[in-house]
Amino acid sequence: KMFAFVVLATLFSFVQGSIPTYKEEWFTQQVDHFNHHLGLTWKQRYLVWDGAWDGEGPIFFYTGNEGDIESFWSNTGFVFEIAPEFNALVIFAEHRYYGKSWPFGTAEESLTKENVGYLSVEQALADYAYLITSLKTQYNIPDAPVAAFGGSYGGMLSGWFRMKYPNVVTAALAASAPIRMGTGGVNFVAQPRYFETVTNDFIKYNPQCPVIARQAFNQLAQLASQGQAGLDKITKIFSLCKPLTADRVEHLRLWIENSYGNLAMMNYPYPTDFLAPLPAWPIKLACEMLVQAPDALSGLAASAGLFYNGTTGALQCFDIETEFVFCADQTGCGTGPAGQAWDYQACTEIIYFPNTDNKTDMFPARSWTIDGLNQHCEQTWGVKPDPEWLGIYTGGSNLAGASNIIFSNGLLDPWHGGGFLHSYSDTVVAVIIEDGAHHLDLRGSDPQDPPSVTAARKQEVALLKKWLSASK
């Protein structure tokens, strides 16, 4: 039987643009919602803010994704800004196998090959459905409408949550959700591609930046071909903590690509510390580093280091082995237990191939194929990826059964080519943010916001009001 939490009556004041203090609660979930013989349970963490709730308003539910839920709480100010307008109760649920929500007690025990198999989209959505159902009983609001919010993988989850559990979720805002890319199978090619958008972001500031970057990658390859003397020069130019060896040159290239991809995702108009402490418009600064450096390779080294060293500049050298960990997701999985968990998800259900071709993008041509993915996943987890299942389970690009979903995408975001960029109907609406990076619309309002995100948020509020009020 599910364990309902105890609500503590706490008053919060909320200042526009600020992030309120949360209450941390725990909910007992089944380890496996689809096997009634297992019978194991675990504690899922979720965060609560009732400072705007009037006892009758809707539930705003954030579908936690691949990380600690506190980080998403701190970087999703839009939800708190509009909650008073709706008199909403705000819940942020942590995804199983992330943060503090480990089904087998610890990250180490949960991420064993024997126990990691309960990490899936299906199990996570069932967790959220059970949690909301219990919350409605606990608060005595059985008919309260629910709006799901999420960004990136969390946006994919919020969209799927509405599709798979329309009896639980009334409406969803799926921000920067690359559903088409994540469910498209081995032959899907995003338009534009992930690294094509990264390159276009640089072009936006200076068309010479991709030219210099290509020169730098050529210089990198030339030095690497010169034996130890060339590798030593690369080590010095990139300020590497350990001498570069010939077999790690490819890893260095991926370290650079990972940095540029993250800078593009975090290309916000003001300083942030979401994935790293970064300045306003970090792609602009990286581009300036490329142009102003004494030579192309030095510029590549300085600009690539921006993501890992941030605005603090505290690192004296770069450890490319710990700062970037090779994984099934070629855009990067992150580090630590969360990176391991995402690697498993990218080895089983959420499968895509963001390759480079040095034509539409500025990076050395590289093809990551299903064969390479199979090899990595079998060696790491003992599993074989299934590129087709998630599309079958969720519908993939087919939105025929969907309703009351907003798919928002920023055109600066490398993931937007894998999302829904056109409205399907009056109740499946695409919102395009011309000057927006990765789910900028979910962040709190800021004086530096471009007009396109201000307009997007206004449209999103209007749609949510329409759909939530219609359900009463």
Side-chain angles (χ1 to χ4, degrees):
K1 184 178 180 179
M2 296 297 161
F3 175 77
F5 65 89
V6 177
V7 180
L8 299 176
T10 307
L11 294 178
F12 291 88
S13 60
F14 180 67
V15 179
Q16 184 79 354
S18 67
I19 303 296
T21 304
Y22 58 76
K23 294 177 293 184
E24 182 182 78
E25 303 288 355
W26 299 85
F27 181 73
T28 300
Q29 294 278 13
Q30 297 289 331
V31 170
D32 187 350
H33 293 290
F34 312 108
N35 180 355
H36 298 289
H37 291 283
L38 188 65
L40 297 178
T41 61
W42 63 285
K43 296 294 182 67
Q44 178 183 27
R45 182 169 65 144
Y46 64 98
L47 310 179
V48 182
W49 181 59
D50 59 6
W53 190 49
D54 64 356
E56 298 180 354
I59 297 173
F60 281 3
F61 188 90
Y62 185 90
T63 50
N65 36 315
E66 72 280 27
D68 191 311
I69 195 61
E70 295 176 35
S71 177
F72 300 117
W73 179 279
S74 300
N75 289 276
T76 314
F78 175 64
V79 170
F80 305 112
E81 286 183 8
I82 67 172
E85 195 171 347
F86 289 79
N87 301 315
L89 173 66
V90 177
I91 307 291
F92 275 55
E94 190 163 68
H95 195 297
R96 56 168 60 201
Y97 288 83
Y98 293 98
K100 296 180 181 179
S101 296
W102 298 103
F104 293 90
T106 65
E108 183 178 13
E109 187 64 23
S110 298
L111 291 171
T112 63
K113 290 182 180 179
E114 295 75 21
N115 293 334
V116 74
Y118 303 103
L119 170 56
S120 69
V121 168
E122 301 96 308
Q123 298 283 5
L125 292 177
D127 287 340
Y128 298 154
Y130 269 112
L131 176 56
I132 288 179
T133 301
S134 180
L135 287 171
K136 287 187 172 185
T137 299
Q138 177 65 33
Y139 281 105
N140 194 27
I141 48 172
D143 299 321
V146 176
F149 296 81
S152 195
Y153 169 49
M156 297 165 77
L157 289 170
S158 65
W160 290 331
F161 199 13
R162 167 60 186 169
M163 294 181 208
K164 302 300 290 187
Y165 294 92
N167 57 310
V168 177
V169 181
T170 312
L173 170 52
S176 297
I179 287 177
R180 294 172 57 248
M181 186 174 180
T183 62
V186 296
N187 295 318
F188 178 82
V189 178
Q191 297 293 335
R193 300 183 179 192
Y194 181 93
F195 288 105
E196 181 179 357
T197 297
V198 175
T199 302
N200 290 340
D201 287 353
F202 276 87
I203 292 174
K204 178 181 174 69
Y205 295 110
N206 189 331
Q208 282 302 304
C209 287
V211 175
I212 297 171
R214 287 190 178 95
Q215 293 173 351
F217 279 116
N218 288 335
Q219 292 173 13
L220 180 65
Q222 291 170 3
L223 283 175
S225 69
Q226 294 173 11
Q228 194 58 50
L231 294 172
D232 289 343
K233 288 182 180 179
I234 296 173
T235 298
K236 182 177 180 180
I237 292 171
F238 278 84
S239 300
L240 303 183
C241 298
K242 301 174 183 178
L244 184 67
T245 55
D247 63 330
R248 303 311 288 163
V249 173
E250 178 70 9
H251 190 82
L252 174 62
R253 291 195 189 101
L254 294 175
W255 177 86
I256 297 167
E257 291 182 6
N258 180 66
S259 171
Y260 278 7
N262 282 310
L263 292 177
M265 283 196 292
M266 300 296 104
N267 198 29
Y268 298 134
Y270 45 77
T272 60
D273 59 358
F274 186 18
L275 297 183
L278 294 173
W281 301 119
I283 288 289
K284 181 176 185 291
L285 178 57
C287 187
E288 291 171 352
M289 289 177 166
L290 278 168
V291 171
Q292 296 172 6
D295 60 83
L297 194 57
S298 296
L300 185 69
S303 57
L306 178 60
F307 173 71
Y308 303 105
N309 220 353
T311 53
T312 62
L315 297 179
Q316 298 302 308
C317 63
F318 294 104
D319 184 347
I320 63 173
E321 302 298 336
T322 59
E323 292 159 359
F324 173 76
V325 178
F326 181 86
C327 71
D329 182 348
Q330 296 295 285
T331 69
C333 290
T335 58
Q340 291 178 269
W342 185 248
D343 183 41
Y344 179 79
Q345 290 196 259
C347 269
T348 49
E349 294 183 318
I350 305 173
I351 296 164
Y352 41 80
F353 302 90
N355 291 315
T356 54
D357 60 13
N358 202 234
K359 297 176 181 177
T360 61
D361 59 69
M362 62 189 184
F363 302 96
R366 183 173 182 272
S367 180
W368 177 242
T369 66
I370 188 65
D371 292 334
L373 181 66
N374 284 338
Q375 182 179 1
H376 167 79
C377 297
E378 289 173 357
Q379 289 178 350
T380 307
W381 298 106
V383 298
K384 186 176 182 180
D386 186 345
E388 307 301 326
W389 166 244
L390 196 57
I392 295 170
Y393 173 68
T394 64
S397 297
N398 188 335
L399 298 175
S403 64
N404 294 2
I405 303 174
I406 302 165
F407 290 107
S408 63
N409 280 282
L411 298 187
L412 301 182
D413 180 17
W415 294 104
H416 82 266
F420 294 108
L421 304 181
H422 303 283
S423 296
Y424 184 84
S425 67
D426 291 342
T427 60
V428 180
V429 180
V431 174
I432 302 302
I433 306 166
E434 182 178 358
D435 299 307
H438 206 42
H439 49 74
L440 173 62
D441 50 327
L442 289 185
R443 301 185 63 81
S445 299
D446 189 276
Q448 302 302 314
D449 279 336
S452 57
V453 75
T454 302
R457 293 187 184 120
K458 184 177 180 180
Q459 183 180 0
E460 290 162 359
V461 168
L463 288 169
L464 290 174
K465 283 184 175 179
K466 178 181 178 181
W467 295 336
L468 294 179
S469 62
S471 72
K472 293 181 179 179

